[in-house]
Amino acid sequence: MPVDGAMLRHAKRILVIGCPGGGKSVLARALSTSLDLPYISMDRDFYWLPGWRKRDRSDIDRMISEVVAQGRWIMDGTGLGSFRLRLPRADLVIWLRLPRTACLLGAISRAIRYFGRSRPEMPEGCPERLTSDMVGYIWNFERRAAPKIEAALHEFGLANSTVIIRSRKAASRFAAPGA
């Protein structure tokens, strides 16, 4: 969907979703700065504890519910299991829907860049890694996750307020001041 600058500037609660390695965090942080919205990372703020220990699902849901009740935020992370909590509160969804090769290259590049340390959108104690499970998830994302995303966007009435971005170049243009 084409989005005009006014629609983006007036959105107070934005979800940035897509395949791992697609640039969700980069785009969300850039928009957080330009739109003056608090940045929320699903991975850092809800899912992971140091040592790659996952929080209990009830704690995750409680924490997400508290954050999405706030009036202003931009949140990166697909997290299909929490769409029921996040989508009803979103004004705008930005779906980075890059080709799988671009996402794989992004994930590999990120693993090299942050090798042995935690990246900014992860909690301390979760050093960057690229597992075979993650590669498989990225490879099959369009076939397995995209239909669920499309169904949820329709279910929650956000199909017409979702911006789909299909390249890194388009994401950079979108994040540029005055987008």
Side-chain angles (χ1 to χ4, degrees):
M1 159 192 176
V3 64
D4 63 16
M7 182 180 181
L8 182 60
R9 284 189 305 277
H10 288 102
K12 302 294 183 212
R13 295 176 304 273
I14 302 172
L15 292 178
V16 181
I17 63 172
C19 184
K24 297 179 301 293
S25 300
V26 171
L27 179 60
R29 284 192 317 264
L31 290 174
S32 168
T33 299
S34 65
L35 300 172
D36 192 31
L37 291 173
Y39 168 65
I40 310 296
S41 165
M42 295 283 294
D43 287 331
R44 180 193 65 216
D45 298 321
F46 306 130
Y47 286 117
W48 297 108
L49 295 166
W52 288 104
R53 291 177 297 123
K54 195 162 190 177
R55 284 189 206 279
D56 181 70
R57 182 80 237 180
S58 62
D59 290 338
I60 292 169
D61 288 351
R62 178 187 48 75
M63 294 166 74
I64 290 171
S65 294
E66 289 170 4
V67 169
V68 299
Q70 297 171 9
R72 304 177 70 252
W73 43 261
I74 185 164
M75 185 180 299
D76 77 28
T78 303
L80 297 169
S82 65
F83 267 7
R84 73 192 190 298
L85 301 172
R86 296 182 298 135
L87 288 175
R89 292 286 298 154
D91 298 323
L92 178 67
V93 176
I94 301 168
W95 185 356
L96 287 167
R97 201 165 183 184
L98 280 62
R100 75 172 110 184
T101 52
C103 294
L104 281 169
L105 287 173
I108 292 166
S109 171
R110 180 176 69 199
I112 292 168
R113 184 172 49 249
Y114 291 101
F115 180 77
R117 56 195 173 99
S118 300
R119 56 188 154 100
E121 59 277 359
M122 294 299 293
E124 283 301 318
C126 292
E128 188 60 24
R129 62 185 185 179
L130 184 61
T131 64
S132 59
D133 286 346
M134 179 64 71
V135 170
Y137 183 77
I138 293 169
W139 189 257
N140 293 302
F141 186 85
E142 273 299 312
R143 184 169 54 85
R144 292 184 182 158
K148 295 174 185 174
I149 293 170
E150 289 170 343
L153 293 172
H154 283 284
E155 178 184 346
F156 290 99
L158 289 163
N160 291 327
S161 55
T162 297
V163 177
I164 297 177
I165 298 175
R166 297 193 180 270
S167 72
R168 292 192 194 286
K169 187 175 183 177
S172 294
R173 280 194 311 265
F174 190 81

